[in-house]
Amino acid sequence: RRQVVESGGGLVQAGGSLRLSCTASGWTWDDWAIGWLRQAPGNQREGVSCIDTTGGKTWYTDAVKGRFTISRDGDTVTLQMENLKPEDSGIYYCAGDCPPYGGNWYRGEGEHNYWGQGTQVTVSS
């Protein structure tokens, strides 16, 4: 059964830092660009950052450029978030098949889930 397991998140004051990690379970990410999406209450889900299969190329949405850093080490992808703002609050999902690298945030099928369960990030002002 293919799954994505996330860790990290939590509550932090504005200006603080958090680290999110996700790991493949039951499959490998050798051929997958991996990234993070987030969704705040009342807002549409949006892509935050992606990293390509080699780890040599990264993409960030404009709102987080210069503050977030994505990296990968084998089947683990980490999102380091610095200088967090209240508008960064939301549920963060790790997922494969990043659109910036030709994908479509594929969710998987049947018992296989290519998205993580979501982890809450709350930034207080």
Side-chain angles (χ1 to χ4, degrees):
R1 180 181 177 188
R2 297 181 177 186
Q3 290 183 295
V4 175
V5 180
E6 299 167 353
S7 61
L11 173 64
V12 67
Q13 288 187 329
S17 302
L18 284 173
R19 176 178 292 181
L20 307 180
S21 293
C22 61
T23 301
S25 175
W27 53 313
T28 62
W29 282 348
D30 293 350
D31 298 324
W32 291 80
I34 305 298
W36 293 87
L37 310 94
R38 67 185 179 189
Q39 186 165 23
N43 290 358
Q44 288 189 334
R45 191 176 294 133
E46 63 170 345
V48 175
S49 181
C50 287
I51 189 165
D52 75 345
T53 56
T54 69
K57 293 182 180 180
T58 57
W59 170 87
Y60 301 94
T61 192
D62 287 345
V64 308
K65 284 180 180 177
R67 300 188 297 119
F68 289 13
T69 303
I70 191 170
S71 60
R72 69 188 296 166
D73 182 5
D75 291 332
T76 297
V77 171
T78 299
L79 185 68
Q80 179 68 39
M81 305 184 293
E82 307 283 351
N83 190 22
L84 282 161
K85 304 176 181 181
E87 52 265 41
D88 293 318
S89 297
I91 300 175
Y92 282 67
Y93 300 90
C94 177
D97 203 31
C98 288
Y101 299 112
N104 194 30
W105 295 123
Y106 178 60
R107 281 187 171 272
E109 58 185 14
E111 64 177 355
H112 303 303
N113 193 344
Y114 287 28
W115 284 43
Q117 74 280 9
T119 186
Q120 180 70 47
V121 171
T122 303
V123 184
S124 62
S125 57

